[in-house]
Coordinates of all heavy atoms in Angstrom, one line a residue:
L1 N -2.6 -13.8 -4.3 CA -1.3 -14.0 -4.4 C -0.6 -13.5 -5.7 O 0.4 -13.9 -6.1 CB -0.9 -15.5 -4.2 CG -1.3 -16.2 -2.9 CD1 -1.0 -17.7 -2.9 CD2 -0.6 -15.4 -1.7
I2 N -1.5 -12.9 -6.5 CA -1.1 -12.4 -7.8 C -0.5 -10.9 -7.6 O -1.3 -10.1 -7.2 CB -2.3 -12.5 -8.7 CG1 -2.8 -14.0 -8.9 CG2 -1.8 -12.0 -10.2 CD1 -4.0 -14.2 -9.7
F3 N 0.6 -10.8 -8.1 CA 1.3 -9.4 -8.1 C 0.6 -8.5 -9.4 O 0.4 -9.1 -10.4 CB 2.7 -9.4 -8.1 CG 3.4 -10.1 -6.9 CD1 4.4 -10.9 -7.2 CD2 2.9 -9.8 -5.7 CE1 5.1 -11.5 -6.1 CE2 3.5 -10.5 -4.6 CZ 4.5 -11.2 -4.8
N4 N 0.5 -7.2 -9.1 CA 0.1 -6.4 -10.1 C 1.3 -6.0 -11.1 O 1.0 -5.3 -12.1 CB -0.6 -5.2 -9.6 CG -1.9 -5.5 -8.9 OD1 -2.5 -6.5 -9.2 ND2 -2.2 -4.7 -7.8
F5 N 2.5 -6.0 -10.6 CA 3.7 -5.6 -11.4 C 3.6 -4.2 -11.7 O 3.8 -3.7 -12.9 CB 3.9 -6.5 -12.5 CG 4.3 -7.9 -12.2 CD1 3.3 -8.8 -12.2 CD2 5.6 -8.2 -11.9 CE1 3.7 -10.2 -11.9 CE2 6.0 -9.4 -11.5 CZ 5.0 -10.5 -11.5
N6 N 3.1 -3.3 -10.7 CA 3.2 -1.8 -10.9 C 3.5 -1.2 -9.4 O 3.8 -2.0 -8.5 CB 1.9 -1.3 -11.4 CG 0.6 -1.7 -10.6 OD1 0.6 -1.7 -9.3 ND2 -0.5 -1.9 -11.3
F7 N 3.3 0.1 -9.3 CA 3.6 0.6 -8.1 C 2.3 1.2 -7.3 O 2.5 2.0 -6.3 CB 4.5 1.9 -8.2 CG 5.8 1.5 -8.8 CD1 6.1 1.7 -10.3 CD2 6.8 0.8 -8.1 CE1 7.3 1.3 -10.8 CE2 8.0 0.5 -8.6 CZ 8.3 0.6 -10.0
D8 N 1.3 0.6 -7.6 CA 0.0 0.8 -6.8 C 0.2 0.1 -5.4 O 1.2 -0.8 -5.2 CB -1.2 0.3 -7.4 CG -1.5 1.1 -8.8 OD1 -1.1 2.2 -8.8 OD2 -2.2 0.5 -9.5
T9 N -0.7 0.4 -4.5 CA -0.8 -0.2 -3.2 C -1.1 -1.7 -3.3 O -2.3 -1.9 -3.8 CB -1.6 0.5 -2.2 OG1 -1.4 1.9 -2.2 CG2 -1.5 -0.1 -0.8
E10 N -0.2 -2.7 -3.0 CA -0.5 -4.1 -3.0 C -0.5 -4.8 -1.7 O -1.4 -5.5 -1.4 CB 0.5 -4.8 -4.0 CG 0.5 -4.3 -5.5 CD 1.3 -5.2 -6.3 OE1 0.9 -6.2 -6.7 OE2 2.5 -4.8 -6.5
F11 N 0.5 -4.5 -1.0 CA 0.6 -5.2 0.5 C -0.1 -4.4 1.5 O -0.4 -3.3 1.4 CB 2.2 -5.2 0.8 CG 3.0 -6.2 -0.1 CD1 3.6 -5.7 -1.1 CD2 3.0 -7.5 0.3 CE1 4.5 -6.5 -1.9 CE2 3.8 -8.4 -0.4 CZ 4.5 -7.9 -1.6
Q12 N -0.6 -5.3 2.4 CA -1.4 -4.7 3.5 C -0.7 -3.6 4.3 O -1.3 -2.6 4.6 CB -1.9 -5.8 4.4 CG -2.9 -6.7 3.8 CD -4.3 -6.2 3.8 OE1 -4.6 -5.0 4.1 NE2 -5.2 -7.1 3.4
V13 N 0.6 -3.8 4.4 CA 1.3 -2.8 5.2 C 1.5 -1.6 4.4 O 1.6 -0.5 5.0 CB 2.8 -3.4 5.6 CG1 3.6 -3.7 4.3 CG2 3.5 -2.6 6.6
E14 N 1.6 -1.6 3.1 CA 1.6 -0.4 2.4 C 0.2 0.5 2.5 O 0.4 1.7 2.7 CB 1.8 -0.8 0.9 CG 3.1 -1.3 0.5 CD 3.2 -1.7 -1.0 OE1 2.2 -2.4 -1.5 OE2 4.1 -1.3 -1.8
S15 N -0.8 -0.3 2.5 CA -2.1 0.4 2.6 C -2.2 1.0 4.0 O -2.6 2.2 4.1 CB -3.2 -0.6 2.4 OG -4.4 -0.2 2.7
Y16 N -1.6 0.2 5.0 CA -1.8 0.8 6.4 C -1.0 2.0 6.5 O -1.4 3.2 7.1 CB -1.3 -0.3 7.3 CG -1.0 0.2 8.8 CD1 -2.2 0.3 9.7 CD2 0.2 0.5 9.3 CE1 -1.9 0.8 10.9 CE2 0.3 0.9 10.6 CZ -0.7 1.1 11.4 OH -0.6 1.5 12.7
L17 N 0.3 2.1 6.1 CA 1.1 3.2 6.1 C 0.6 4.5 5.4 O 0.6 5.6 5.9 CB 2.6 2.9 5.6 CG 3.3 2.0 6.7 CD1 4.6 1.6 5.9 CD2 3.6 2.7 7.9
R18 N 0.0 4.2 4.3 CA -0.5 5.3 3.5 C -1.8 5.9 4.2 O -1.9 7.1 4.3 CB -0.9 4.8 2.0 CG 0.3 4.5 1.2 CD 0.1 4.3 -0.3 NE 1.1 3.8 -1.0 CZ 1.2 3.7 -2.3 NH1 0.2 4.2 -3.0 NH2 2.4 3.2 -2.8
H19 N -2.6 5.1 4.8 CA -3.7 5.6 5.5 C -3.2 6.4 6.7 O -3.8 7.5 7.0 CB -4.5 4.3 6.0 CG -5.5 4.8 7.1 ND1 -6.8 5.4 6.7 CD2 -5.6 4.7 8.4 CE1 -7.5 5.7 7.8 NE2 -6.8 5.2 8.8
Q20 N -2.2 5.9 7.5 CA -1.7 6.7 8.6 C -1.1 8.0 8.1 O -1.3 9.0 8.9 CB -0.6 5.8 9.3 CG -1.1 4.5 10.0 CD -2.0 4.8 11.2 OE1 -1.8 5.9 11.9 NE2 -3.0 4.1 11.5
G21 N -0.4 8.1 7.0 CA 0.1 9.2 6.6 C -0.9 10.2 6.1 O -0.9 11.4 6.5
K22 N -1.9 9.8 5.4 CA -3.0 10.7 4.9 C -3.8 11.3 6.1 O -4.1 12.4 6.2 CB -3.8 9.9 4.0 CG -3.3 9.7 2.7 CD -4.1 8.8 1.8 CE -3.4 8.5 0.5 NZ -4.3 7.6 -0.4
A23 N -4.0 10.4 7.1 CA -4.8 10.8 8.3 C -4.0 11.8 9.2 O -4.7 12.8 9.7 CB -5.2 9.7 9.2
F24 N -2.8 11.7 9.2 CA -1.9 12.6 10.0 C -1.9 14.1 9.3 O -1.9 15.0 10.0 CB -0.5 12.0 10.0 CG 0.3 12.8 10.9 CD1 0.3 12.8 12.3 CD2 1.5 13.5 10.4 CE1 1.0 13.4 13.2 CE2 2.3 14.3 11.3 CZ 2.1 14.2 12.7
V25 N -1.8 14.1 7.9 CA -1.8 15.3 7.3 C -3.0 16.2 7.6 O -3.0 17.3 7.7 CB -1.7 15.0 5.7 CG1 -1.9 16.3 5.0 CG2 -0.3 14.5 5.4

């Protein structure tokens, strides 16, 4: 429950979308 306070991937949905985007490329 601790935020990193940066723009790295933190939320599960962020990780999922980035994975989908990279796989599509």
Side-chain angles (χ1 to χ4, degrees):
L1 296 178
I2 301 174
F3 296 139
N4 293 332
F5 293 97
N6 59 36
F7 297 105
D8 291 339
T9 303
E10 291 186 88
F11 290 93
Q12 292 281 7
V13 68
E14 292 176 311
S15 177
Y16 172 80
L17 287 173
R18 293 191 188 190
H19 169 76
Q20 291 294 325
K22 290 176 181 176
F24 188 70
V25 169

